[in-house]
């Protein structure tokens, strides 16, 4: 394959990676306060005038899709479903050609009410975050008593055809790390695809401690005590999750049931990363762990053409580092927390 250049109409970097998966943060605000993400009192939210309007988001997604080779768009946050324009933004993106595949990462609150409208607007899939099956634990973990709403949201997503419904779980030592097999049982029973995510140093409180993190190896050991995990014959590609077939179980589509582990810290997949990120205030981040950003909002509001914006975006991605370097002694946690970057 010939070398990809920054000017080739794609989002390439110096290491030969091409970003085709765009993560758009629709808001930095949230209706939960997960302990690994935000402090109880919340954060200093972005001022309204700094947030991209719905039309500005749609324009930037269009540039990414029509000029820069983006094929997949994931809406996230903060909590994306609390943005009033979410359904309209998805509807406008569904009109783009080539039509991007679209998904939402949500805590599931509000999904019961919105799943049908999201599907009608053109959403393909959802990822719902759920770390525990115990409503009391959920209350401790998220500081809100909303477990039932998340369960109802999951069911509504499946009923609306936002499939496969994926569930994201973060395990924390002494909090919910005993629940891995139960979470798998729940997901298998409902036809959801479960992925465990290693906890990352992206919390606003900077309280992440590697020695306390539940590692991918530990998660797998805990699962293997209850299930036989077979290597997944399907190629991983740029997907962050390593997946296994759960022997003896069938997915709702009749194929084998799977479980995944996203070992962002201990099994980094930076070499295959295909992500580019747009924050709710119009900054491009070439990595979740980048310490700098490229401002597209200023260009947009200063009258830049689509071509100029596309060039800026390409320049931002060209500068992407080879890896996140969490294991490097000089690693610096990014100033913005996950909720403001868009997880
Ligand atoms: N509010 C939505 C949600 O919770 O799904 C979307 C945004 S949230 C930041 C996206 C994902 O990041 C969730 O699955 C959440 O569990 C995960 N997350 C948040 N903080 C994390 C951390 N420090 N380490 C690993 N995952 C984290
Ligand atoms: Fe909100 Fe998602 Fe962060 Fe939890 S993980 S506080 S739901 S943004």
């Amino acid at each position: 394959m010939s070398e990809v250049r920054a000017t080739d109409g794609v989002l390439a970097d110096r290491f030969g990676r091409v970003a085709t998966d765009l993560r758009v943060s629709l808001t930095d605000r949230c209706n939960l306060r997960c302990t690994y993400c935000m402090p109880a009192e919340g954060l200093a939210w972005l001022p309204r005038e700094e947030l991209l309007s719905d039309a500005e988001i749609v324009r930037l997604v269009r540039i990414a899709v029509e000029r820069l080779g983006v094929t997949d768009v994931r809406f996230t946050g903060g909590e994306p479903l609390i943005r009033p324009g979410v359904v309209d933004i998805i509807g406008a993106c569904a009109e783009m050609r080539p039509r991007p595949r679209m998904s939402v990462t949500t805590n599931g609150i509000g999904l019961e009410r919105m799943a049908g409208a999201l599907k009608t607007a053109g959403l393909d899939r959802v990822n719902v975050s759920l770390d525990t099956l115990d409503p009391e634990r959920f209350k401790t973990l998220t500081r809100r008593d909303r477990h039932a709403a998340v369960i109802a949201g999951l069911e509504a997503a499946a009923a609306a055809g936002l499939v496969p419904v994926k569930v994201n779980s973060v395990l924390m030592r002494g909090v919910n790390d005993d629940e891995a097999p139960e979470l798998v049982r729940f997901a298998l029973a409902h036809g959801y695809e479960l992925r465990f995510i290693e906890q990352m140093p992206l919390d606003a409180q900077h309280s992440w401690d590697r020695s306390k993190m539940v590692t991918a190896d530990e998660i797998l050991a805990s699962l293997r005590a209850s299930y036989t995990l077979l290597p997944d014959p399907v190629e991983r590609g740029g997907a962050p999750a390593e997946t296994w077939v759960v022997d003896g179980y069938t997915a709702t589509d009749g194929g084998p049931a799977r479980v995944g582990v996203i070992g962002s810290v201990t099994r980094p997949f930076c070499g295959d990363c295909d992500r580019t990120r747009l924050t709710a205030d119009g900054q491009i981040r070439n990595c979740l762990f980048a310490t700098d950003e490229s401002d597209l909002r200023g260009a947009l509001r200063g009258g830049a053409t689509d071509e100029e914006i596309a060039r800026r975006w390409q320049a931002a991605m060209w500068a992407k580092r080879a890896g996140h370097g969490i294991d490097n002694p000089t690693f610096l946690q990014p100033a913005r927390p996950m909720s403001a970057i868009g997880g």
Side-chain angles (χ1 to χ4, degrees):
M1 195 180 88
S2 59
E3 201 182 325
V4 203
R5 290 163 310 168
T7 48
D8 279 347
V10 290
L11 293 169
D13 69 33
R14 295 164 294 157
F15 302 97
R17 295 168 296 190
V18 175
T20 54
D21 183 343
L22 167 61
R23 305 277 154 134
V24 181
S25 173
L26 293 182
T27 175
D28 59 330
R29 295 174 189 237
C30 193
N31 42 12
L32 296 184
R33 294 286 182 274
C34 304
T35 50
Y36 52 72
C37 186
M38 284 191 196
E41 65 279 15
L43 297 165
W45 310 122
L46 290 166
R48 202 157 290 276
E49 64 279 7
E50 288 182 17
L51 291 179
L52 295 180
S53 67
D54 293 358
E56 287 172 331
I57 290 177
V58 171
R59 180 172 170 205
L60 291 177
V61 174
R62 185 183 303 285
I63 291 170
V65 168
E66 294 181 354
R67 293 175 180 259
L68 295 169
V70 162
T71 55
D72 293 82
V73 182
R74 163 85 56 97
F75 298 98
T76 178
E79 176 44 47
L81 298 188
I82 63 176
R83 182 168 178 131
V86 58
V87 172
D88 292 340
I89 291 171
I90 288 168
C93 294
E95 302 283 307
M96 295 174 191
R97 293 294 175 272
R99 182 193 184 284
R101 285 183 288 269
M102 288 185 289
S103 58
V104 163
T105 298
T106 169
N107 61 30
I109 295 169
L111 198 50
E112 183 182 21
R113 181 172 51 82
M114 295 172 71
L118 290 164
K119 176 72 182 174
T120 305
L123 187 70
D124 296 300
R125 280 201 316 99
V126 287
N127 279 47
V128 178
S129 304
L130 178 66
D131 303 323
T132 177
L133 297 170
D134 174 353
E136 278 307 308
R137 270 191 188 179
F138 183 92
K139 208 158 113 186
T140 311
L141 226 149
T142 68
R143 305 188 179 102
R144 299 287 186 271
D145 193 4
R146 304 302 306 276
H147 190 259
V150 181
I151 301 294
L154 276 164
E155 286 169 5
L162 294 168
V163 289
V165 173
K166 295 192 180 175
V167 177
N168 294 346
S169 301
V170 177
L171 296 181
M172 282 152 288
R173 204 173 297 287
V175 178
N176 63 342
D177 57 339
D178 56 341
E179 273 194 72
E182 265 303 282
L183 283 161
V184 173
R185 190 200 54 73
F186 167 80
L188 292 173
H190 291 86
Y192 309 145
E193 281 187 24
L194 179 63
R195 271 127 181 68
F196 293 99
I197 310 177
E198 277 181 349
Q199 192 178 348
M200 295 179 273
L202 285 170
D203 56 315
Q205 312 88 294
H206 290 229
S207 59
W208 181 85
D209 176 349
R210 181 173 183 140
S211 64
K212 294 204 186 116
M213 184 186 75
V214 181
T215 64
D217 283 350
E218 289 174 299
I219 297 166
L220 285 167
S222 152
L223 295 182
R224 288 198 161 107
S226 302
Y227 303 95
T228 303
L229 303 183
L230 305 173
D232 192 338
V234 175
E235 280 238 6
R236 182 178 176 188
E242 281 179 80
T243 51
W244 283 265
V245 167
V246 188
D247 194 25
Y249 292 85
T250 309
T252 36
D253 65 2
R258 293 184 162 82
V259 64
V261 178
I262 304 182
S264 320
V265 178
T266 64
R267 300 177 176 204
F269 37 87
C270 304
D272 291 318
C273 180
D274 60 0
R275 306 276 155 80
T276 182
R277 294 172 185 276
L278 175 65
T279 64
D281 57 346
Q283 311 297 305
I284 293 298
R285 297 181 65 93
N286 56 27
C287 172
L288 201 46
F289 295 94
T291 45
D292 50 10
E293 303 179 336
S294 301
D295 179 31
L296 291 191
R297 187 189 71 230
L300 198 74
R301 294 186 182 168
T305 62
D306 286 0
E307 184 55 29
E308 285 161 352
I309 290 169
R311 292 253 177 246
R312 271 186 187 237
W313 204 326
Q314 287 179 308
M317 294 309 293
W318 192 250
K320 181 168 171 138
R321 286 182 304 170
H324 58 45
I326 294 175
D327 273 338
N328 194 322
T330 59
F331 172 75
L332 272 184
Q333 181 168 341
R336 290 221 222 197
M338 178 89 128
S339 56
I341 296 169

